[in-house]
Amino acid sequence: MSAFKKSPAFGATSTAAEVLDGVDLRGRRAVVTGAGSGVGVETVRALAAAGADVTLAVRDTDAGAAVASRLRDELPSSAGTLSVGRIELSDLASVAAFTAAWNGPLHILVNNAGVMSPPRITRTPEGREWQFGVNHLGHFALATGLRPALAAADGARVVAVSSIGHLFSPVVFDDLDYRYRPYDPWTSYGQSKTATALFAVGAAERWADDGITANAVMPGNVAATGLARNTDMDAVAGMLATGELVLPPGKTVEQGAATTVLMAASPTVAAVTGRYYEDCAEAQPVIERAGAVAGVAPYALDRDNAARLWTASEAFLR
């Protein structure tokens, strides 16, 4: 596929429903993490409306059940079924329990859940820095644990939700957990979202023989999510005022889910793998963060970086 190919008729303002209009996902099974709010809910809605049976993988199953109940009332009778499963991505035992309980093929895995920029360092039960542990390592464990189910689907797709925030930092392999350098909430977030993109590169290379594609996506600047629940918003306001932080144009949750469902289910990108998409198109490379509101850093798609991260991540799971 040629570089930077844009999907026909889709762009920054497209909605998830528009992207999947006419797509038939009956008989397909999907898992969406972080499906209790924001873009995750809209991702579930669009996939189910197209006929997919979707599992909402959430920390709070009561909240997930409430979302599923509301969506059932809103979706047409032709929609796929909705179920709820518990997963705490910061706890590898919880991830292992989720993958062990899964039976049968899995056609779509959307690694959507995320945390962003807590002001003080927090660690997972295994001792990983929290953002790296949740945004990357928990999803890595989930995807690798579900690989047999994805392979059994014969044409499965994995979507890793990254962010323009990856421009804040490459993966710093010599200090992934901030044991030596001072903790910074933004470089930590950036590292975790770079790792998310590199996972897609690594999975695309390793799982191609199983018919699995893997791609990273940037949903956009979507305010109506729970992502910033741990973030110091006064600090964000200060960064915006000084120009240290520049945000892309705002999107609705319906628009924010569009690129995710494009890569998860649209036939227009069926053969695409190992790429980074935003605004329903392959992202252009950027060489510096200053002023950038779109694009992907070369280090986030580097195959050597992806291989090194994969090896480190496997070691963390042992």
Side-chain angles (χ1 to χ4, degrees), residues 58-254:
V58 295
R59 290 183 301 115
D60 184 339
T61 53
D62 289 339
V67 169
S69 178
R70 173 168 60 84
L71 289 177
R72 289 188 192 102
D73 290 340
E74 297 171 355
L75 286 165
S77 59
S78 59
T81 62
L82 300 177
S83 58
V84 178
R86 185 181 184 279
I87 190 168
E88 171 53 73
L89 289 162
S90 68
D91 183 353
L92 295 179
S94 173
V95 178
F98 183 94
T99 60
W102 185 268
N103 290 306
L106 175 62
H107 302 84
I108 299 167
L109 173 61
V110 179
N111 291 338
N112 168 79
V115 294
M116 184 174 74
S117 303
R120 288 170 294 279
I121 192 165
T122 304
R123 299 195 183 277
T124 70
E126 292 79 22
R128 307 276 74 82
E129 187 278 318
W130 190 51
Q131 294 188 86
F132 181 82
V134 172
N135 295 344
H136 167 64
L137 193 59
H139 279 129
F140 179 87
L142 176 64
T144 54
L146 290 173
R147 179 182 176 179
L150 292 163
D154 189 23
R157 302 193 197 184
V158 179
V159 181
V161 178
S162 185
S163 168
I164 187 67
H166 81 275
L167 297 179
F168 274 100
S169 178
V171 172
V172 180
F173 289 100
D174 291 330
D175 192 19
L176 291 169
D177 294 311
Y178 286 80
R179 301 283 182 186
Y180 300 97
R181 53 187 166 143
Y183 172 74
D184 177 81
W186 291 102
T187 60
S188 173
Y189 179 67
Q191 173 178 254
S192 74
K193 287 302 182 177
T194 295
T196 299
L198 289 173
F199 159 75
V201 175
E205 184 166 340
R206 286 162 179 77
W207 297 352
D209 288 345
D210 289 329
I212 302 168
T213 64
N215 293 283
V217 300
M218 155 61 173
N221 174 19
V222 183
T225 73
L227 181 62
R229 60 187 176 276
N230 303 112
T231 304
D232 182 345
M233 296 311 293
D234 289 337
V236 171
M239 294 169 70
L240 290 169
T242 61
E244 184 180 356
L245 176 65
V246 182
L247 296 177
K251 288 189 178 186
T252 66
V253 288
E254 294 84 0

